[in-house]
Amino acid sequence: YTDYYTLSLHDALPISLRIFDETGRMVFTQSGAFAKGYNTFSIDRQLMTTTGMLYYTVETSSDKATKKMIQSK
């Protein structure tokens, strides 16, 4: 299975996505340069062995957002 996370950018920017478990341990990270407009991160669920409540942070050089998600198997 693959999860997709979509975001919209006003400018082309390097972006990092980090996912943390409830204890604050980073369980996944991905980064790359993304174009202006709508972009998608794809995450193979088999790469993340942690289940339960997770927090993901999307960060650019000028902005940062953190959201919750639930990962189940």
Side-chain angles (χ1 to χ4, degrees):
Y1 295 99
T2 302
D3 288 328
Y4 297 95
Y5 300 90
T6 303
L7 58 112
S8 177
L9 299 174
H10 296 288
D11 296 305
L13 294 169
I15 302 284
S16 68
L17 169 71
R18 295 185 315 247
I19 300 175
F20 302 90
D21 66 12
E22 290 180 295
T23 67
R25 181 177 59 97
M26 187 168 32
V27 296
F28 183 85
T29 185
Q30 184 179 20
S31 60
F34 288 86
K36 179 181 178 178
Y38 286 97
N39 294 272
T40 303
F41 276 105
S42 61
I43 300 173
D44 183 346
R45 291 174 91 185
Q46 293 179 351
L47 297 175
M48 291 194 326
T49 58
T50 304
T51 59
M53 181 67 71
L54 300 173
Y55 300 88
Y56 66 95
T57 299
V58 177
E59 186 171 5
T60 69
S61 59
S62 62
D63 205 3
K64 180 177 174 179
T66 301
K67 304 279 184 170
K68 292 186 226 181
M69 68 177 176
I70 297 175
Q71 173 78 7
S72 62
K73 291 276 177 173

